[in-house]
Structure formats: structure tokens, C-alpha cells
Amino acid sequence: MERIIIFDTTLRDGEQSPGVGFTTKEKLEIAKQLEKLRVDVIEAGFPASSPGDFEAVREVSREVKNPVITALARAVPSDIKKAGEALREARKGRIHVFIATSPIHMKYKLKKTPAEVLRLAQEGVRMAKEYASEVEFSPEDASRSDPAFLYEVISAAIEEGAGIINIPDTVGYSVPEEFRALIQGIMKNVPDMEKIILSVHCHNDLGMATANSLSAIKGGARQIECTINGIGERAGNASLEEIVMALKTRQDFFEFSTNVNTSEIYRTSRLVSRLTGMPVQPNKAIVGRNAFRHAAGIHQDGVLKETTTYEIMTPSSIGLEEGELVLGKLSGRHALKERLRRLGFRLTDSQFEAVFKTFKELADKKKEVFDEDLIFIVEEQTFHIPEVYSLEYIHTVSGNQILPTATVRIRKKDEVFQEAACGDGPIDAAYKAIDRVTGLKANLLDYSIRSVTGGKDALGEVMVKIETEDGIVTGRGVSTDIIEASAKAYINAINRLIYRREK
Ligand code: KIV
Ligand code: ZN
């Protein structure tokens, strides 16, 4: 069966999600997980956009060897040179050159005539060929471009040596039938298309990114650009898990396969959610918390009789395992080790001991420790942002007839600081007290809380996004006490800020 090439752009377009910014270490962690997921291509970044991104692409090229590593570049010499340098150690590197071809973009953004754009596209691809073994070319805003001009630019890019032509629906404007016709038009009107890989890159502004991508496959596309959890610029990109699971579940209809190891989907989704600070909406297809839950009595009855009555995919196909053993405070190392192994973690002895210690502390607070709890614990233990500040103690007083106050005790290496503050509520008071300790004046941009497990003793997860003069960072805190989780999330964001600043 013919294969669709999965091109993951979580680290490039995904990073363009407002408020998201990965450190090199975070990019590397995601890239390694994408390698386990067996994506074919990883777009690791846009090296000319910042020295940090250059470094991240270089590091991913050095460390991640199975997928093709791609770097984005505008059709300008300095971008292409930077992309080529960042990819130097890649086993297989690809430069992705783009320039806009729609009348709106050419006139208002580029302020260039179509003839100038055509020339820049040709020169860009020609130069990129000197720096990388593979060159991909994208006519940005293709879906709002004049088809005749699009054919001309694509033909020119192929003549210069582009082996992959990517058609972006940059502003998520297209609809499935129209987009399929655009792809068919390109296949028909551009010479030598059969020697080229035709790719699509769809944005989700009208909620049609996945549908447009799948429709493009019917029109002749053989590479899909997508991101984990569908993150990306504005409303995001086509979501990798939706594309892959649609192709797998409806193989009868599409007649294509992918190389993706779908049992790694759930873990990859959790990792990206954690590192971006973007929670996955509960009803998100494939990876949302509710995606495999049945609430209606009729549905539950049906599923108990025969799962296929209401389940078109199994939870295990995306790596969501049903726990057989109940893990709690009586569980020992053996049971925990076995569960971690089934969840796909391979820990060193010292990592395992650290996880076990935290697991025991949590099990003392909760009746049952769920798989989701364990995933959080492991991720926290193995992700090494130095804990410059850590919360030792928090005490808050609040009520509807009292001025909310908080006292915090925070450790910084060998020193311990204690501060108190009043606020609009206990969390506001706690954040003000933490600000007094750290001396940082952070502006809270976003705060969200959710329970990551069920029941009254649920583990609460708080995500915060803060802004300081050094930029925007996210932080995460988990506890059965939501005030403690809130303080931990805030301190986590501050530690990440310090780490980023030092880097
Ligand atoms: O959406 C877009 O057009 C892009 C291009 C750079 C491919 O991200
Ligand atoms: Zn894009």
C-alpha cells in the first residue's frame, strides 16, 4: 500500500502559537519523541529567526537521526545560508524555502511584482540546492493565488531542483472540494509533477485543516504537514493525530498507510501540551480526555456488549492503556515498575527511585494513583530545568468577609525566604508574596486549572502564562491542593524564565 509522508511542524509552525516558545532542550525532547512516533520529517525551526532557533535546529540535526530534519527559510540568501549551516550535521537535511504568491501578499506584504517573486523563488531554490540534499518549496498563501501564476512558479521551482512542492492554505480559507481541485489542477498543469512529492500545509481558521488535508490526498498530495494537538499560528494547523488516525481507521476509503507508530500518539500529545502550556480541549478528536469515554446509558450498554458499537478506534491504538492494577499507597516498586514499563517509560535506576518517592507521597494523599498521574510525575522528574526556587510552605487565609492573605516560604539553594502579602484572592495574594521573594515583577497573562484525574481527591493541574521584561513563559504545577498547585505553577514559570535568561 502506498504511504503518505508525515511532515511534523510542531517545532516550527507549532511554536508560532501565541505565547509558545521552546528552549533548545525542549525542542530536542519533542524531536526525540517525534522520532519514536516515527514521523518521516521534522521541521525543527526557522534558523534565521533567532540565534536560539538556529541552535535548536543544529542540536536536533545532531541528535535525531531517523527522520529528515527540515529548516525553514525565506527566499533570501541570508536565511538560506543560516538554514544550511544549522542543518550541517543532519543525516538527511532539507531546506524549506517559501515566498508568497497571492496578489494580496505580493502587493501589500512583499511589495513586489509577480515577475520579481518568480525570480526570487528561482534564485532561492537554486541557492538552497547548494546547501542541502533536499529542497522543498512553498508558494505561501497558495490557496488565494492565481492558479496560472502558481503553476508558473511551481514549474520554475522544480526546474531549479525542488523535489518537494508544498501547497499551503496559509490562512485556512479553503474548503475540501476546492482544495482538492487546486491539487488536481497542479498535478495536471505543471510538467514533471509525477517526479515530485506534492505536499499540503493547511491551517485551521475555519476548522477545516484536517478535512482539507485529507481531501488533498484524494487529489494527489503525498505529504501532509501537520502538528501535534493541531497547534500552530492562530487557530493552528492540521492535527497529526487526526490525519494519521483517519488514514488508519478509514484505510478502506483512503487506501494509504503511514509509518507512524500510533501507540506513541497519546504520550506525544501530553508532552507537547506540557511543554507548550496549552491544555488539550477535552473533546479534542483522538487525544482529548473525553475521546474514548461513553456517558450515555445506551452507549455504555452498547459498549459493554460489544465495543465496536460506539468505538471506531481502541484507546490502546493511541497508547492509552486501561490500568488493570490499582496503584495506591500499598503498591510497591514492582507494580510501579510494571505500570511505567507499560506506559512506555524507560527510566534509569536513579530516575525510577525519584519517581517512586514522589509516587509514594502522592499515594498518601490520594486513594488511587492513575496513569495520568504517573505520566506527570515521570515528566516532572526527567525534565531538568533547575529548580532555582522551590516552594517549602504555603498558608493562605480567605473568605467572603476577610482580606485574603498568603504566607509563603521559598527555598533558593541554601537560603530560605518567607514573605506575606494580601490580594484579591488567595492565589493573587500568594503570587504577590512570591514576587516579593523573587524580586521579579511578573504580569499574569493566563491562568487555567483542571483536574487531571477523576474523583473528589483529584489531582489539580494549574497552567500559568506570565510575562516579564524577558518575555513570556509558561509554568505548570500539580497538587491535590489547588492553591499549592497554583503557587507551584507560578514558581515553575519563574524557574523556566531564569533558565531561559541564563541560556
Ligand atoms: O502557513 C504557511 O504558509 C507556512 C509556510 C511557511 C509553509 O507556514
Ligand atoms: Zn503555516
Side-chain angles (χ1 to χ4, degrees):
M1 188 173 295
E2 219 187 315
R3 223 159 47 76
I4 295 295
I5 299 165
I6 297 296
F7 176 118
D8 181 279
T9 182
T10 305
L11 300 180
R12 198 278 296 170
D13 216 321
E15 198 186 24
Q16 288 174 220
S17 307
V20 171
F22 297 120
T23 61
T24 298
K25 201 165 174 185
E26 288 169 336
K27 278 206 173 186
L28 199 55
E29 192 174 355
I30 294 175
K32 285 185 174 165
Q33 180 57 32
L34 290 172
E35 188 177 37
K36 273 195 202 154
L37 184 64
R38 289 208 304 260
V39 303
D40 301 287
V41 187
I42 293 176
E43 187 163 50
F46 185 180
S49 67
S50 73
D53 221 33
F54 178 89
E55 195 45 45
V57 175
R58 200 159 65 165
E59 200 60 28
V60 171
S61 302
R62 194 177 283 154
E63 300 278 332
V64 180
K65 293 297 178 192
N66 287 326
V68 175
I69 307 298
T70 298
L72 186 69
R74 288 170 299 176
V76 295
S78 53
D79 276 28
I80 295 166
K81 195 158 175 278
K82 279 240 156 65
E85 281 165 10
L87 290 171
R88 200 171 287 148
E89 291 179 61
R91 185 186 62 82
K92 197 161 189 192
R94 178 188 297 181
I95 299 183
H96 178 184
V97 180
F98 75 100
I99 189 163
T101 50
S102 66
I104 302 174
H105 278 231
M106 289 191 290
K107 181 172 174 192
Y108 295 107
K109 186 182 81 173
L110 299 177
K111 299 191 194 320
K112 298 212 182 298
T113 63
E116 286 171 311
V117 166
L118 177 65
R119 181 178 52 77
L120 288 171
Q122 286 170 314
E123 289 172 2
V125 173
R126 195 180 310 144
M127 181 172 174
K129 279 296 283 179
E130 292 166 22
Y131 283 91
S133 53
E134 286 186 359
V135 174
E136 171 169 330
F137 173 72
S138 286
E140 191 191 4
D141 206 14
S143 53
R144 292 193 301 167
S145 301
D146 167 27
F149 181 56
L150 201 56
Y151 303 154
E152 196 182 346
V153 178
I154 294 172
S155 305
I158 294 173
E159 265 175 38
E160 294 296 342
I164 304 102
I165 296 293
N166 177 50
I167 304 302
D169 182 23
T170 301
V171 288
Y173 180 73
S174 215
V175 295
E177 281 177 21
E178 179 192 42
F179 199 58
R180 176 181 176 167
L182 176 68
I183 298 302
Q184 283 170 329
I186 293 168
M187 292 300 289
K188 190 163 154 232
N189 292 294
V190 177
D192 289 334
M193 276 313 291
E194 67 290 346
K195 297 185 193 142
I196 296 300
I197 296 170
L198 188 54
S199 167
V200 292
H201 174 112
C202 298
H203 278 271
N204 207 28
D205 299 66
L206 292 172
M208 285 189 273
T210 298
N212 284 338
S213 306
L214 293 171
S215 187
I217 291 177
K218 286 286 183 189
R222 295 293 176 263
Q223 174 180 284
I224 304 293
E225 301 198 356
C226 44
T227 59
I228 300 296
N229 300 337
I231 64 169
E233 186 80 34
R234 305 182 311 279
N237 291 62
S239 120
L240 181 146
E241 59 277 10
E242 291 172 17
I243 302 282
V244 168
M245 291 311 285
L247 290 174
K248 184 174 169 132
T249 311
R250 294 306 313 274
Q251 213 168 62
D252 60 317
F253 180 75
F254 290 107
E255 299 180 319
F256 283 104
S257 64
T258 70
N259 197 33
V260 168
N261 174 6
T262 61
S263 66
E264 289 290 334
I265 284 180
Y266 185 69
R267 286 194 53 216
T268 316
S269 163
R270 292 297 325 152
L271 177 69
V272 170
S273 170
R274 173 169 69 82
L275 295 183
T276 53
M278 293 172 74
V280 175
Q281 80 193 54
N283 60 328
K284 167 82 180 65
I286 320 294
V287 290
R289 190 171 63 237
N290 296 346
F292 291 96
R293 285 179 158 185
H294 306 277
I298 295 171
H299 289 214
Q300 289 180 345
D301 177 56
V303 168
L304 286 172
K305 287 174 176 151
E306 166 58 47
T307 50
T308 54
T309 50
Y310 287 101
E311 267 182 15
I312 58 166
M313 302 164 266
T314 61
S316 63
S317 65
I318 64 151
L320 251 180
E321 298 258 6
E322 238 71 75
E324 290 132 28
L325 297 172
V326 176
L327 290 180
K329 63 180 179 184
L330 299 178
S331 307
R333 283 186 170 73
H334 190 179
L336 179 65
K337 218 171 233 172
E338 176 55 21
R339 180 65 61 81
L340 291 173
R341 194 191 59 73
R342 282 209 299 115
L343 287 172
F345 291 114
R346 279 171 289 273
L347 303 183
T348 62
D349 287 349
S350 62
Q351 281 171 334
F352 175 76
E353 284 308 320
V355 170
F356 184 68
K357 185 166 171 280
T358 316
F359 159 73
K360 278 294 195 186
E361 282 161 13
L362 182 64
D364 261 346
K365 294 186 193 158
K366 286 172 60 74
K367 280 196 259 333
E368 183 180 344
V369 178
F370 298 99
D371 286 354
E372 285 163 310
D373 299 329
L374 290 179
I375 292 170
F376 283 130
I377 293 173
V378 174
E379 286 177 351
E380 238 165 36
Q381 293 291 344
T382 51
F383 183 55
H384 301 296
I385 290 208
E387 247 199 319
V388 178
Y389 292 102
S390 60
L391 183 71
E392 291 221 320
Y393 165 92
I394 181 160
H395 176 82
T396 56
V397 184
S398 72
N400 61 355
Q401 302 285 330
I402 198 171
L403 184 65
T405 57
T407 307
V408 295
R409 196 184 308 136
I410 291 174
R411 175 172 290 279
K412 185 183 183 193
K413 296 201 177 117
D414 296 334
E415 287 176 286
V416 174
F417 302 90
Q418 186 157 308
E419 283 290 353
C422 312
D424 292 335
I427 294 170
D428 185 45
Y431 286 5
K432 285 190 172 128
I434 294 168
D435 283 347
R436 286 191 180 160
V437 172
T438 62
L440 279 167
K441 188 71 206 88
N443 183 18
L444 185 66
L445 294 181
D446 200 13
Y447 173 97
S448 66
I449 182 161
R450 67 178 192 116
S451 81
V452 291
T453 52
K456 283 193 191 139
D457 58 350
L459 195 59
E461 178 191 49
V462 172
M463 297 274 201
V464 294
K465 195 174 285 177
I466 62 169
E467 185 178 33
T468 68
E469 56 196 13
D470 289 315
I472 296 173
V473 280
T474 54
R476 178 178 162 275
V478 177
S479 170
T480 46
D481 178 316
I482 58 167
I483 307 276
E484 187 186 353
S486 304
K488 280 180 158 180
Y490 195 66
I491 291 172
N492 180 243
I494 290 168
N495 286 333
R496 290 166 67 117
L497 188 79
I498 293 169
Y499 176 74
R500 185 173 293 176
R501 198 193 270 165
E502 283 171 3
K503 280 272 149 189

